[in-house]
Amino acid sequence: MFVAFASPHEVDDIWPAFERRIQRACERYRCDLTASILRQMCLSGEAYLMVAHDGTRPLMASVWKFYNWPSGVVFRCLCLAGEQVAAWREPFRSFVHDAARKGGASVITASGRKGWGAMFPESREVSRTYEVDVYAQRR
């Protein structure tokens, strides 16, 4: 199992295998991005497409970007889609930590479901998102 960044020239070869799952994740977790926008970010070099590959086929694709926040440089996961997590979890964690350090980040962030806590057991929850349906009856 290996994890690496795809070059912008490789994005269009990899993207179709994950596009539907990436879009579904964007919709399910109320992401302000779409699969198309994420793809364009990877093609332009604004963000990085990270891939876990078992030697036969890619099992995971995720999109990452460095941000300069007031607190310092942050390496943020914008979206992740994959299967057979147990096969790539540890190489993925190691690669993410190394990439963050090499990029000057002191923090890794990801938003979404509780599964991120299992992916990074040393993480802590720093915020929550609340949603109100404005058409629901008030009680």
Side-chain angles (χ1 to χ4, degrees), residues 16-100:
F18 295 96
E19 185 171 20
R20 269 189 254 143
R21 286 184 281 178
I22 287 172
Q23 184 59 41
R24 189 171 51 233
C26 289
E27 292 167 2
R28 182 183 298 165
Y29 300 108
R30 308 296 197 263
C31 180
D32 58 348
L33 300 168
T34 64
S36 296
I37 291 170
L38 291 166
R39 179 179 158 269
Q40 287 300 318
M41 291 171 74
C42 293
L43 286 168
S44 72
E46 180 184 350
Y48 301 94
L49 179 62
M50 184 184 298
V51 180
H53 202 286
D54 69 0
T56 305
R57 65 188 180 94
L59 298 177
M60 180 279 300
S62 56
V63 179
W64 293 78
K65 183 176 177 178
F66 286 97
Y67 288 90
N68 287 308
W69 287 359
S71 58
V73 178
V74 173
F75 192 40
R76 182 171 183 77
C77 183
L78 303 177
C79 194
L80 183 145
E83 59 188 66
Q84 300 179 23
V85 177
W88 51 262
R89 179 185 295 124
E90 288 309 314
F92 165 81
R93 285 172 36 85
S94 178
F95 186 85
V96 168
H97 278 86
D98 289 346

Side-chain angles (χ1 to χ4, degrees), residues 94-114:
S94 178
F95 186 85
V96 168
H97 278 86
D98 289 346
R101 288 185 194 111
K102 287 176 183 172
S106 58
V107 175
I108 297 164
T109 66
S111 300
R113 61 190 189 88
K114 290 183 179 183

